[in-house]
């Protein structure tokens, strides 16, 4: 896939599920629960023990049925290891040019972390495929609306403190997707499946489909 195709696929449901755990087994079990619930895009945080092995395992198991990426990618070395593990995209809580360069060198989209308009512009200048607003809870949906008035080309993915209740508000404010961790994955399979189904329906109603948003939005 081209980078823009992977980006579109990763953000198509308007939710990017984040798996961060204290063990490989728990991470893969959480990922399996999310995938079974109908989530088609998730990132495995590199803070998880044996995270890259989890990425490789999940990609082997799901094939093209889901888009699996690596999160908390802090530097070029980690980015290259994620590439070698088979990650389809890279996400970072910070803005590191080498992460973007490494991802792009091997055809992967990169969603770096930003928290100011200046960082957003810098990230776009470096070629970021989407912008992870982090931590989103410190700002609120109005931030997206206000900043996009000046930067309508910015594709924001608020992450960090986004809840099932307020995720549609972020989309309505102009975000292309929301990053969500435990707020989405807590509970047994039935609970997660019901929550995911309701969330996906609400997110779809909160804004236009990505294919209608213009090429600058993905």
């Amino acid at each position: 896939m081209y980078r823009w195709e992977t980006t579109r696929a990763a953000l198509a449901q308007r939710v990017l599920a984040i798996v961060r755990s204290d063990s490989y087994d728990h991470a893969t079990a959480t990922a399996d629960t999310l995938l079974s619930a109908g989530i088609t895009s998730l990132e495995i945080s590199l803070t998880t023990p044996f995270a890259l092995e989890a990425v490789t395992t999940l990609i082997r198991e799901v094939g093209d049925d889901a888009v699996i990426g690596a999160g908390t990618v802090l530097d070029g070395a980690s980015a290259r290891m994620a590439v070698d593990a088979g990650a389809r995209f890279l996400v970072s809580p910070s803005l590191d040019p080498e992460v973007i360069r490494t991802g792009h060198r091997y055809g992967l989209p990169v969603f770096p972390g930003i928290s100011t308009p200046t960082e957003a512009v810098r990230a776009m200048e470096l070629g970021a495929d989407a912008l992870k607003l982090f931590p989103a809870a410190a700002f609120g949906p109005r931030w997206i609306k206000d900043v996009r008035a000046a930067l309508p080309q910015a594709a924001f993915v608020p992450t960090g403190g986004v809840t099932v209740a307020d995720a549609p508000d972020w989309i309505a404010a102009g975000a292309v997707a929301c990053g969500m961790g435990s707020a989405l994955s807590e509970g047994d399979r039935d609970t997660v499946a019901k929550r995911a189904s309701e969330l996906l329906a609400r997110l779809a109603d909160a804004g236009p489909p990505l294919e209608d948003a213009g090429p600058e939005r993905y």
Side-chain angles (χ1 to χ4, degrees):
M1 281 187 176
Y2 294 109
R3 281 199 345 253
W4 68 266
E5 292 178 298
T6 303
T7 301
R8 184 195 292 257
L11 304 179
Q13 290 185 317
R14 297 189 175 282
V15 60
L16 183 58
I18 302 165
V19 176
R20 178 179 290 107
S21 183
D22 58 1
S23 73
Y24 168 92
D25 290 339
H26 187 249
T28 53
T30 299
D32 181 63
T33 297
L34 290 165
L35 293 167
S36 297
I39 299 298
T40 61
S41 179
L42 59 85
E43 65 173 85
I44 305 298
S45 170
L46 296 191
T47 59
T48 299
F50 301 103
L52 295 176
E53 287 83 349
V55 169
T56 301
T57 297
L58 290 167
I59 290 173
R60 183 174 61 246
E61 292 178 348
V62 305
D64 294 329
D65 292 335
V67 187
I68 310 297
T72 325
V73 181
L74 301 181
D75 50 39
S78 298
R80 178 55 196 267
M81 288 190 291
V83 170
D84 291 342
R88 298 279 299 279
F89 61 89
L90 307 178
V91 184
S92 177
S94 58
L95 177 56
D96 184 286
E98 191 56 32
V99 172
I100 297 175
R101 282 194 289 266
T102 301
H104 288 181
R105 185 178 298 127
Y106 298 101
L108 274 62
V110 181
F111 312 151
I114 63 92
S115 59
T116 68
T118 299
E119 289 179 343
V121 171
R122 178 59 177 153
M124 289 189 290
E125 290 173 343
L126 292 169
D129 301 276
L131 309 175
K132 172 180 176 175
L133 175 62
F134 180 79
F139 299 94
R142 182 57 187 263
W143 189 94
I144 296 278
K145 185 177 179 65
D146 289 346
V147 174
R148 288 201 68 248
L151 302 174
Q153 72 274 32
F156 290 112
V157 182
T159 305
V162 177
T163 68
V164 173
D166 65 20
D169 296 333
W170 286 99
I171 300 301
V176 295
C178 293
M180 298 181 66
S182 59
L184 179 62
S185 62
E186 282 185 336
D188 58 27
R189 281 181 176 267
D190 289 342
T191 299
V192 175
K194 181 179 179 181
R195 182 186 299 130
S197 178
E198 293 176 351
L199 175 64
L200 292 175
R202 293 183 63 198
L203 292 179
D205 291 339
L210 288 181
E211 58 266 26
D212 296 337
E216 74 279 2
R217 296 301 307 283
Y218 37 75

